[in-house]
Amino acid sequence: MNFPSKVLEKAVEEISGLPGIGKKSALRLALHLLRQSPSQGVALGNAIQKLVTDIKYCQECHNFSDEEICEICNNPKRNSEILCIVEDVRDVMAIENTSKFNGKYLVLGGKISPMEGIGPNQLNISSIEKKLNEGSVKELIFALSATMEGDTTAYYLYKKFKGFPVTFSSIARGIAVGDELEYADEISLGRSIVNRLPYNEKS
């Protein structure tokens, strides 16, 4: 692809580095930006810069946050006795969109997957242990994807923490086997949280 400008070429190169965007799509986006007022392009650039420099990970749950502690963890109306274990920040957003859950979260940052070289030590499992040791958590909900890796992760966590005086539960399988949480519709996901099931070694 030949470019009349090195600046345009560099912009297309950077945009095409985003997931799901090829060189042609990147060029269309770059040309669209050039057709807008300069202030819109500057606003987009500033927003991206702040996204990269200002977003933090919550020290309590590892969700994205503008502050050291996120709004959910800081909210006194949330039930601290129920801790929902999710793989990814997108799962928190998906569950929050259902308006069916009033507990708190712990974002693992992935799931155990030997094929991808991801083991327990690379996840935020120590944060779960810290919360359990504090004694306020009464229920752990496994809201993990209905995949082999998700089931493996839930089983590992159950075995590791079953000595603590907590109830283990798992979201109901209103989510199809093999599905990721973030792609579930809000009604099905909401029902899965509300109708969660007891978790044990045979789940």
Side-chain angles (χ1 to χ4, degrees), residues 1 12 15-29:
M1 190 179 291
V12 169
I15 295 171
S16 65
L18 296 171
I21 299 182
K23 284 286 179 68
K24 288 184 178 179
S25 295
L27 178 58
R28 281 196 297 271
L29 290 170

Side-chain angles (χ1 to χ4, degrees), residues 33 36-46:
L33 286 172
Q36 308 307 304
S37 67
S39 62
Q40 287 180 287
V42 170
L44 175 61
N46 288 339

